[in-house]
């Protein structure tokens, strides 16, 4: 059986949605340990105008991402979603895969935003 650990980081979470900035997924098996990883920065713009101070703070201080790195994130949201589907073999209707989430509510919001 394969296990996938997923973690999103977000610029901010508001009542009307989430603004993810980064995703990481690792694939594991009990026998083989960590097998491979997927990582991507995400550009969720446009941001709500009243959140720029929060976004600048979380980018640098909390996530440790230099704001200049955000000039080259994936802007192709469908492309990121397709990478996630391919990485986790989600198109195969397999009961042999399990998804572990650090923060299930946040991860679900981010996955819904991407999909």
């Amino acid at each position: 059986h394969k296990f996938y650990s997923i973690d999103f980081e977000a610029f901010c979470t508001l009542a009307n949605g989430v603004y993810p900035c980064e995703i990481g997924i690792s694939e594991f098996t009990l026998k083989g340990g960590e097998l491979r990883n997927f990582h991507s920065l995400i550009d969720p713009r446009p941001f709500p105008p009243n959140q720029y101070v929060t976004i600048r703070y979380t980018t640098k201080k909390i996530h440790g991402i230099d704001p200049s790195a955000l000039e080259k994130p994936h802007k192709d949201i469908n492309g990121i979603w397709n990478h996630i589907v391919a990485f986790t073999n989600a198109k195969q209707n397999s009961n042999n895969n399990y998804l572990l989430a650090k923060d299930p509510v946040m991860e679900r919001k981010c996955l819904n935003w991407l999909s």
Side-chain angles (χ1 to χ4, degrees):
H1 297 287
K2 291 183 181 176
F3 298 85
Y4 295 93
S5 175
I6 186 169
D7 183 36
F8 280 94
E9 298 298 336
F11 289 116
C12 60
T13 303
L14 306 172
N16 64 342
V18 64
Y19 293 83
C21 62
E22 184 176 22
I23 179 176
I25 305 174
S26 294
E27 180 183 76
F28 299 88
T29 63
L30 292 177
K31 186 175 182 179
E34 186 175 3
L35 302 175
R36 59 194 182 118
N37 298 292
F38 169 78
H39 175 262
S40 181
L41 294 176
I42 302 169
D43 183 353
R45 287 181 258 201
F47 297 121
N50 61 342
Q51 293 298 315
Y52 280 104
V53 172
T54 301
I55 289 165
R56 297 279 302 169
Y57 175 79
T58 57
T59 301
K60 183 97 172 167
K61 299 291 183 188
I62 295 177
H63 302 309
I65 300 170
D66 185 328
S68 66
L70 296 175
E71 294 172 8
K72 296 182 182 177
H74 283 287
K75 294 182 182 190
D76 177 10
I77 303 307
N78 289 330
I80 295 171
W81 180 253
N82 290 335
H83 281 282
I84 293 168
V85 170
F87 184 84
T88 60
N89 297 316
K91 284 189 177 180
Q92 297 175 2
N93 241 342
S94 173
N95 292 326
N96 294 328
N97 296 335
Y98 301 93
L99 181 64
L100 308 170
K102 182 176 100 177
D103 180 350
V105 173
M106 169 68 92
E107 316 316 355
R108 183 177 308 274
K109 286 180 181 180
C110 290
L111 285 170
N112 286 340
W113 183 89
L114 281 170
S115 66

